[in-house]
Amino acid sequence: MTLTAEMLAAAYDYLCFTSPFDKWMPPSDEVKFLVIKSTDRYAHYQMIDDVHHIAVSTRFVDRHMTLLSTMAHEMIHLHIRSSGIRQRNAHGRAFQRLADEVCSHHPEFDRLNF
């Protein structure tokens, strides 16, 4: 599977039609999507100059379900940031609670690897 920024946006848009993302997320045109070749992470979320960025690595994300679950993971980070939820650890209690909610709606995602 060859990742493109357009494919990442389409995965984001698809998830935005599903719960709980349909209540949480800004439209995809407010997010910059990047394809990277990182060897130390599947993806990452950042806010740069008031623009949301989601970057996904071609080194790890090579299947459709991996793309969707990775995108969902980064969308939780975006939601935490845009909601002003404060947390000390990027994968702390707030993230874990929201990941549980996402996985309750998307049982196809592997919660242990989320």
Side-chain angles (χ1 to χ4, degrees):
M1 178 170 80
T2 303
L3 291 179
T4 65
E6 295 79 18
M7 185 183 290
L8 301 182
Y12 178 97
D13 286 337
Y14 169 76
L15 289 168
C16 283
F17 280 102
T18 67
S19 291
F21 298 113
D22 58 344
K23 298 176 218 57
W24 293 353
M25 307 312 295
S28 60
D29 62 359
E30 295 181 16
V31 181
K32 181 171 177 131
F33 297 96
L34 305 159
V35 176
I36 59 174
K37 293 182 180 181
S38 177
T39 58
D40 67 341
R41 67 189 70 206
Y42 279 65
H44 66 264
Y45 163 78
Q46 292 178 291
M47 175 69 92
I48 302 171
D49 297 328
D50 293 326
V51 176
H52 301 287
H53 288 69
I54 294 177
V56 177
S57 176
T58 60
R59 304 282 179 154
F60 294 104
V61 179
D62 59 356
R63 297 177 184 260
H64 297 138
M65 281 309 301
T66 306
L67 171 59
L68 290 173
S69 64
T70 300
M71 182 61 68
H73 178 109
E74 299 310 322
M75 290 168 75
I76 293 171
H77 288 299
L78 189 157
H79 173 62
I80 288 170
R81 174 66 186 252
S82 63
S83 298
I85 297 170
R86 297 205 185 270
Q87 58 178 8
R88 292 181 193 173
N89 180 329
H91 296 109
R93 280 184 280 187
F95 181 92
Q96 296 303 318
R97 180 180 51 80
L98 294 168
D100 286 342
E101 183 176 351
V102 167
C103 290
S104 74
H105 291 280
H106 298 274
E108 64 277 8
F109 295 158
D110 182 356
R111 180 61 183 93
L112 295 176
N113 292 319
F114 212 76

